[in-house]
Amino acid sequence: RQKHLLIMSTIVDEPTYPYSKKLVEALNQVIPEALARPARAKNFERVHSLFKTKQMHLVLLSKSNAKALLEGSGPFSDFGAVNVRTLYAFGDMLLLVQPDFSDSHVWLLADAFKKSYKSLPGALSPEKIMSLPNLHPAALLAIRGDPLP
């Protein structure tokens, strides 16, 4: 799984897979060496398993499901809470990241979205991203224009 930067989504969270393809396209334009690819989990249990065991570092979920993953509620109530941070927001969707994913990688991704958010439907402006709860600290650095950690 290390060769490509994988953005996981799930079939049951309807808008996330089609949108993950847009994120991959934007990332590959700004950071071609990331070799970003979409990855689709068949259900919430699989999302939880892959994220909890750190086999996946990024997951795109609708806000209600992102909150449920963090709290271990809703569709994740049988599987427990998962420690996650927000990397960026796109309309009703949040791109979540492992808290211990490399700060430099988080910074590069947040910076790429900062550069390309106008071409991503519903993407929040960098100003709005700065006020998101649970934002990864390295994402905040990138959004503020602070140097790579």
Side-chain angles (χ1 to χ4, degrees):
R1 294 183 200 271
Q2 299 307 312
K3 184 179 176 194
H4 297 282
L5 176 76
L6 298 175
I7 298 179
M8 181 170 56
S9 62
T10 180
I11 297 163
V12 290
D13 196 347
E14 192 60 47
T16 61
Y17 181 67
Y19 202 88
S20 71
K21 293 193 274 187
K22 290 179 170 55
L23 295 184
V24 160
E25 197 177 311
L27 284 173
N28 285 333
Q29 285 177 0
V30 182
I31 319 170
E33 62 275 17
L35 299 173
R37 299 278 180 274
R40 195 165 44 164
K42 66 181 177 185
N43 55 36
F44 288 118
E45 183 176 6
R46 192 78 182 124
V47 167
H48 184 277
S49 169
L50 289 168
F51 210 71
K52 182 91 174 173
T53 58
K54 301 188 180 182
Q55 294 175 67
M56 286 283 184
H57 301 290
L58 299 165
V59 61
L60 182 68
L61 292 172
S62 59
K63 285 181 182 172
S64 61
N65 289 325
K67 187 173 190 267
L69 179 64
L70 180 65
E71 296 172 347
S73 63
F76 299 103
S77 58
D78 290 343
F79 319 120
V82 177
N83 190 11
V84 297
R85 293 286 176 270
T86 299
L87 199 156
Y88 214 91
F90 310 91
D92 186 48
M93 293 171 280
L94 294 175
L95 182 61
L96 304 175
V97 62
Q98 296 281 356
D100 58 358
F101 192 51
S102 156
D103 284 350
S104 60
H105 288 121
V106 171
W107 188 97
L108 287 166
L109 293 170
D111 185 62
F113 293 130
K114 178 182 169 182
K115 289 173 178 164
S116 58
Y117 80 94
K118 288 179 180 163
S119 68
L120 289 163
L124 268 61
S125 68
E127 296 73 33
K128 289 184 176 161
I129 295 295
M130 286 198 283
S131 63
L132 285 177
N134 200 33
L135 188 64
H136 191 290
L140 179 60
L141 289 175
I143 300 300
R144 283 198 313 226
D146 293 336
L148 184 73

